[in-house]
Amino acid sequence: MSDSSATYEVRYGWNRKSVFVLLGSLAFLAAPLLFSQYSSARVDGITVPMPVISVLSALLGLCGVVAGLATVLSRRLALRVDADGVTLGSLPLRSATGEAFVPWEEITAVELWVQHAGRARMPYVGLHRAPGTATLPGAARSRVAQAANTALTGQSAELLAASRPVNFWHLDRPGFLAAVQQNAPTTPVIVAADFP
C-alpha cells in the first residue's frame, strides 16, 4: 500500500440519512397545506388553533431544510486519518467544535461505538486519548454537562470529547480500519458488536 492509500478522508455530503432528513423537513413544510381545511387540532387534550400548528410546522420544516442543505452542501471535513494522526471534523451547525487534530502519540485506542436512544441508534467514531492531553474544541466543559452526556451515552466524558457522530456522512469501515492499521499498527481498535 502506498503512502497516498494510507490516507482516509470523508466529507459531509449526500447519503441515505441526509436525504431522509430533507424529505422529512419538506413534509413539515407541506403539512400546513395538507391540513388547511381544519380549524384546530387536539394535542394531549388541548385544542390548538390550526394557524399555530401551521406556523410551527413550517418553521420546523424550514429550519430542517436550511440546516440539512447547509451541512450537505458545505462538503466540510468529517474525518481524516493519515500518517500524522486523526482529524475529527467540526459538527454541523456547531462551529464551537471546530476541527480537532489528534496525533497518533496521544491516541491509545480507536473505538467505533453506538449510542442508543429507544429504537434509534447513532454510530460514532471515537478516540481514547492518553491522560493529561489538552481538551479538544467543543468538549463539554462543565461537570454537569459531562455527567449528563455520560448518563445518556454510557461512555466516558473523555471518549465523548474525542468522538464524532457518523451523521450526514458515510463511514467506509474497511477503508477507515485499513488506514488506521497502516498508520498506527499497534493502536487497538474496538468495534461495538452492533456498529453498522
Side-chain angles (χ1 to χ4, degrees):
M1 205 179 251
S2 68
D3 280 344
S4 62
S5 63
T7 298
Y8 174 81
E9 182 176 291
V10 62
R11 295 183 174 275
Y12 289 100
W14 293 105
N15 63 16
R16 189 177 340 167
K17 188 166 192 175
S18 59
V19 169
F20 178 76
V21 167
L22 286 168
L23 288 175
S25 298
L26 288 172
F28 274 97
L29 271 174
L33 298 173
L34 298 173
F35 299 112
S36 61
Q37 72 268 22
Y38 301 104
S39 62
S40 64
R42 291 188 61 78
V43 179
D44 286 336
I46 300 169
T47 302
V48 181
M50 194 52 71
V52 172
I53 293 173
S54 296
V55 168
L56 292 176
S57 177
L59 284 174
L60 185 61
L62 184 62
C63 288
V65 168
V66 170
L69 285 176
T71 301
V72 166
L73 298 177
S74 73
R75 300 293 297 150
R76 287 182 305 165
L77 180 71
L79 179 71
R80 180 181 171 87
V81 177
D82 59 29
D84 298 320
V86 178
T87 304
L88 302 168
S90 60
L91 293 171
L93 307 177
R94 286 189 54 202
S95 58
T97 56
E99 286 184 7
F101 173 73
V102 183
W104 287 115
E105 300 79 45
E106 290 182 9
I107 300 171
T108 59
V110 174
E111 185 168 353
L112 301 180
W113 59 278
V114 179
Q115 177 186 3
H116 297 274
R119 296 182 73 189
R121 61 187 188 143
M122 176 66 70
Y124 280 80
V125 174
L127 307 174
H128 292 274
R129 300 170 65 219
T133 52
T135 303
L136 295 177
R141 304 269 186 224
S142 76
R143 292 196 191 280
V144 172
Q146 290 175 356
N149 290 340
T150 297
L152 277 171
T153 63
Q155 301 292 346
S156 70
E158 293 78 19
L159 178 62
L160 290 172
S163 291
R164 294 297 187 266
V166 182
N167 194 18
F168 282 92
W169 56 281
H170 172 74
L171 179 71
D172 171 19
R173 186 167 151 180
F176 170 75
L177 294 175
V180 170
Q181 175 62 35
Q182 173 134 1
N183 291 302
T186 61
T187 301
V189 177
I190 305 157
V191 181
D194 61 344
F195 192 89

